[in-house]
């Protein structure tokens, strides 16, 4: 069932089953999957050509995916109308003693204009930079890392100016950020605290 373009995809219940509706023609499937295909179609070029003629009579330039392990063939058309016509022809058709079955598959985009909107892999230079292969292409060079910082004089000067007996301003605040100031502890670290924690008495034996 095809609804107007202004309507959204909905699902309704009829006789206890869900019926899906689509909002536009582009949501309809343009490919079918044919099952119970004879094995000769996958190994014999002549049988494959004869099998393909069942669909090329509907549309000349179509795409086939022969799945030998599953004895299935996916046929991709340019429009949902051609896919529907092919399904009606193939459904229940006897081919070399095998009754073919067909059902709609998910919509597949083969044109360059549609594939450009999909997510594509990163450029080759990005791929080799992240994980260089065993045999990189000709002209590829490994990026050289910078030399390690042996001595940071700015950091050493800030550490040398830090005194434990006086407060130290770590960050000078402004209108949007606060000022961070470190104050020394009032109790020396080498003297124990004057506050003692109460001890729990040991219970007397019964």
């Amino acid at each position: 069932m095809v609804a107007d373009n202004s309507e959204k995809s909905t699902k309704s219940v009829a006789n206890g089953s869900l019926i899906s509706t689509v909002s536009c023609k582009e949501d309809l499937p343009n490919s079918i999957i044919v099952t119970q295909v004879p094995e000769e179609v996958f190994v014999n070029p002549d049988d494959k050509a004869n099998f393909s003629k069942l669909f090329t009579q509907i549309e000349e330039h179509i795409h086939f995916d022969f799945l030998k392990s599953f004895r299935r063939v996916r046929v991709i058309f340019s429009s949902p109308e051609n896919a529907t016509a092919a399904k009606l022809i193939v459904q229940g058709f006897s081919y070399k003693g095998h009754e073919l079955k067909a059902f709609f598959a998910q919509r597949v985009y083969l044109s360059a204009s549609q594939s450009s909107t999909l997510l594509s892999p990163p450029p080759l230079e990005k791929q080799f930079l992240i994980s260089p292969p065993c045999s990189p292409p000709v002209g590829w060079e490994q990026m050289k890392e910078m030399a390690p910082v042996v001595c940071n004089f700015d950091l050493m000067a800030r550490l040398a100016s830090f005194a434990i007996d006086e407060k130290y301003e770590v960050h000078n605040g402004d209108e949007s950020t606060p000022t961070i100031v470190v104050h020394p502890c009032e109790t020396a670290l080498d003297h124990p605290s004057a506050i003692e924690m109460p001890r729990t008495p040991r219970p007397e034996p019964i």
Side-chain angles (χ1 to χ4, degrees):
M1 180 184 299
V2 180
D4 296 336
N5 294 338
S6 60
E7 298 180 0
K8 297 182 179 179
S9 299
T10 58
K11 289 185 178 181
S12 58
V13 179
N15 298 328
S17 60
L18 292 177
I19 301 177
S20 300
T21 60
V22 294
S23 58
C24 58
K25 178 182 176 181
E26 284 71 18
D27 295 336
L28 295 174
N30 65 335
S31 60
I32 63 172
I33 294 182
V34 185
T35 62
Q36 300 182 6
V37 180
E39 295 183 0
E40 294 82 1
V41 175
F42 302 97
V43 297
N44 193 332
D46 295 334
D47 292 334
K48 179 181 292 187
N50 294 332
F51 180 82
S52 301
K53 289 181 180 179
L54 296 175
F55 307 96
T56 53
Q57 62 181 345
I58 302 175
E59 183 178 345
E60 183 177 359
H61 300 288
I62 55 179
H63 180 78
F64 292 92
D65 291 326
F66 291 89
L67 309 176
K68 180 180 178 181
S69 301
F70 302 97
R71 292 181 56 190
R72 295 186 175 188
V73 178
R74 183 174 68 171
V75 189
I76 305 174
F77 297 88
S78 61
S79 64
E81 291 83 359
N82 293 341
T84 303
K87 182 179 183 301
L88 295 176
I89 294 176
V90 176
Q91 184 68 30
F93 182 78
S94 180
Y95 186 81
K96 290 187 174 296
H98 295 77
E99 184 178 353
L100 303 179
K101 294 184 179 180
F103 58 90
F104 291 109
Q106 187 177 5
R107 185 175 183 87
V108 180
Y109 298 98
L110 296 178
S111 61
S113 59
Q114 295 289 349
S115 60
S116 60
T117 60
L118 304 178
L119 182 63
S120 58
L124 291 180
E125 56 270 15
K126 293 288 185 180
Q127 298 180 25
F128 297 137
L129 180 63
I130 297 173
S131 179
C134 299
S135 300
V138 178
W140 182 83
E141 296 181 359
Q142 175 69 39
M143 177 180 292
K144 297 181 179 180
E145 298 182 358
M146 60 179 297
V149 179
V150 179
C151 183
N152 192 331
F153 293 99
D154 184 32
L155 178 61
M156 294 181 62
R158 293 177 65 89
L159 292 176
S161 63
F162 181 77
I164 195 172
D165 296 335
E166 59 184 11
K167 64 180 181 179
Y168 180 76
E169 184 176 344
V170 180
H171 175 70
N172 187 12
D174 51 18
E175 296 180 356
S176 59
T177 58
T179 302
I180 301 177
V181 180
V182 178
H183 295 269
C185 183
E186 296 180 357
T187 304
L189 298 178
D190 54 351
H191 291 80
S193 176
I195 302 176
E196 295 184 359
M197 298 295 295
R199 297 183 179 181
T200 303
R202 180 183 299 177
E204 298 180 358
I206 299 176

